[in-house]
Amino acid sequence: MLKAGFAFMTALASLAACAHPVSGAPVPAILASEAELTPLMAELREMTGRANVELGADDPLATPVVTILPPPAGPFEGNNPALPTSYGLELRDGACVLVDQDGTMVRTLQGVTCAPYASKAG
């Protein structure tokens, strides 16, 4: 009986968390409009120190993920071991930020406007 009650309360808390995010907590985000791609790309070029940055298959207008493809292999490289780098796009205290996969690097995106991500599941 106690386990069933605990499972019910856990499920209820999960539903409530999905419907009402805690104030001040990071919220998954997407770019507010297609016009935000230009300032995002400028921020990514500055962040990576690369003149050319190419986004991966994730669409930051539809999902809260920004993937940066590695630079292309050079003419003398047969096998490039570089992997894409993915970041989470979040709203934190009204600012649009990128967070790396382990959460240790957070970069506030200057001039980029985000909107809360409305998951189809929650």
Side-chain angles (χ1 to χ4, degrees):
M1 179 70 168
L2 185 59
K3 285 185 183 180
F6 179 75
F8 174 76
M9 292 303 289
T10 303
L12 187 61
S14 296
L15 288 174
C18 185
H20 304 287
V22 177
S23 178
V27 176
I30 58 174
L31 295 182
S33 69
E34 195 167 326
E36 300 303 320
L37 282 171
T38 300
L40 173 66
M41 296 303 287
E43 282 281 325
L44 293 174
R45 285 191 294 275
E46 181 182 320
M47 187 174 86
T48 60
R50 293 173 22 200
N52 295 314
V53 174
E54 186 178 349
L55 294 180
D58 298 313
D59 181 4
L61 291 163
T63 63
V65 178
V66 175
T67 301
I68 303 171
L69 297 178
F76 302 110
E77 291 180 299
N79 183 13
N80 187 350
L83 297 173
T85 306
S86 292
Y87 298 93
L89 197 56
E90 295 179 353
L91 278 172
R92 291 189 180 191
D93 299 322
C96 192
V97 299
L98 280 180
V99 181
D100 68 356
Q101 292 175 343
D102 60 4
T104 57
M105 195 276 306
V106 176
R107 180 179 176 102
T108 302
L109 300 173
Q110 303 300 319
V112 178
T113 304
C114 289
Y117 172 65
S119 167
K120 291 182 182 10

